Amino acid sequence: QVQLQESGPGLVKPSQTLSLTCTVSGVSITTGYTAWTWIRQPPGKGLEWMGLIGDDGRTWYSPSLKDRTSISRVTSKNQFSLQLTSVTPEDTAVYYCTRVTGWGTPDSQDFASWGQGTQVTVSS
């Protein structure tokens, strides 16, 4: 089965860069009609979509985060990563990586797989 696992530091200092990696097993991240996304949930708030990278390497970002967000991949490691620069305490959240199937197919998108989530706290 498909499994996703987030990894990275749980504590980041303000103004620094938050970096997380999602390791995927059970499916290649270059598999067609698939996108790989980062979603976060700050305490007491709802889920926030941050951005994605498609199976072809194209990226899209939330308008509110696009200036600080970068998603990349290393296909040889079957991994994709998140970088969020200039973090503040408002970036404290549980961060999830997800797999979306049916990408590029009208009305067929589905959040088929989720990582377990990782808590990241921004604090000095």
Side-chain angles (χ1 to χ4, degrees):
Q1 77 279 25
V2 176
Q3 295 187 83
L4 285 69
Q5 184 169 145
E6 304 91 346
S7 62
L11 181 64
V12 183
K13 295 183 181 299
S15 82
Q16 295 186 340
T17 296
L18 182 158
S19 296
L20 296 173
T21 296
C22 184
T23 300
V24 178
S25 62
V27 66
S28 171
I29 63 172
T30 62
T31 298
Y33 305 106
T34 304
W36 306 88
T37 85
W38 288 98
I39 295 170
R40 69 179 184 180
Q41 185 169 33
K45 299 182 179 180
L47 296 169
E48 179 184 21
W49 179 79
M50 302 183 70
L52 67 84
I53 185 164
D55 56 79
D56 60 357
R58 290 188 291 173
T59 56
W60 286 262
Y61 302 107
S62 169
S64 64
L65 296 170
K66 63 180 178 62
D67 292 339
R68 298 194 293 131
T69 305
S70 179
I71 298 173
S72 59
R73 67 181 184 176
V74 181
T75 58
S76 63
K77 297 181 179 180
N78 218 40
Q79 296 176 330
F80 66 103
S81 298
L82 169 73
Q83 292 193 122
L84 183 68
T85 63
S86 302
V87 299
T88 75
E90 296 298 314
D91 295 309
T92 294
V94 177
Y95 286 75
Y96 301 91
C97 56
T98 79
R99 171 188 176 228
V100 176
T101 57
W103 181 249
T105 303
D107 301 318
S108 298
Q109 294 84 12
D110 180 47
F111 287 90
S113 306
W114 290 67
Q116 80 281 6
T118 186
Q119 171 72 44
V120 179
T121 299
V122 179
S123 176
S124 60

